[in-house]
Amino acid sequence: MKINAVTQGVIKRLGFKSPVPTHDGIDSELSPVSIPEDYKALITQCFRRMGLPEDGICISVRPVGQRSCGQDVYAAFVKVTRWDASVASIFNELPTIEKMIDRGIRRSDMPRYSSFAGVWFRSPPKREEIPAAVH
């Protein structure tokens, strides 16, 4: 099997010593389609652990660029859909949530196949929807 120089460079950067063997009929668990869903599931799980109700936010993950080694870079975008006391209290714990997300990503296989740029938050467009208790 002949591999071009770019592919060899990517394989070397990923830490593989030889080309990844391919077998007909066997598919990898991670594919470009499943990576955003895997990030989304991990992030959703972190918010659930912190007690955030599912209807309080909407999470989307999409590619935002590419590293020099060829890895796609993904970012999560969290839109607050409903502000109430429970959502506001959770967002006071953002450093803890971000650490949980980072730790979960590092423990998974996703860093072998992609990079993560972080979590970006969007609040509702109307200022009166944001409670005064949020700092």
Side-chain angles (χ1 to χ4, degrees):
M1 167 169 70
K2 187 174 181 179
I3 298 178
N4 67 29
V6 174
T7 304
Q8 288 177 354
V10 170
I11 291 170
K12 185 177 179 182
R13 291 246 182 187
L14 289 174
F16 296 112
K17 293 183 180 178
S18 62
V20 178
T22 57
H23 304 285
D24 291 50
I26 298 175
D27 194 10
S28 172
E29 289 183 31
L30 288 176
S31 68
V33 176
S34 72
I35 290 174
E37 291 302 317
D38 293 341
Y39 279 121
K40 182 178 177 180
L42 190 142
I43 292 165
T44 301
Q45 182 182 21
C46 289
F47 278 113
R48 278 193 200 139
R49 273 195 229 145
M50 294 297 291
L52 185 70
E54 284 188 41
D55 62 343
I57 59 171
C58 178
I59 301 170
S60 66
V61 178
R62 61 181 182 257
V64 294
Q66 198 170 43
R67 291 182 53 193
S68 61
C69 66
Q71 278 187 335
D72 287 327
V73 178
Y74 292 86
F77 299 89
V78 178
K79 180 180 179 185
V80 178
T81 56
R82 181 180 54 90
W83 279 105
D84 62 12
S86 65
V87 174
S89 66
I90 293 299
F91 278 91
N92 286 329
E93 300 294 326
L94 278 181
T96 304
I97 293 170
E98 289 174 336
K99 285 179 186 176
M100 286 176 65
I101 292 169
D102 184 54
R103 191 177 311 123
I105 289 170
R106 281 187 284 124
R107 288 180 179 166
S108 73
D109 284 337
M110 289 183 284
R112 292 180 61 193
Y113 304 102
S114 64
S115 293
F116 190 68
V119 180
W120 301 85
F121 295 91
R122 243 179 71 191
S123 61
K126 297 178 184 173
R127 188 139 177 96
E128 59 271 4
E129 293 180 23
I130 302 174
V134 177
H135 301 286

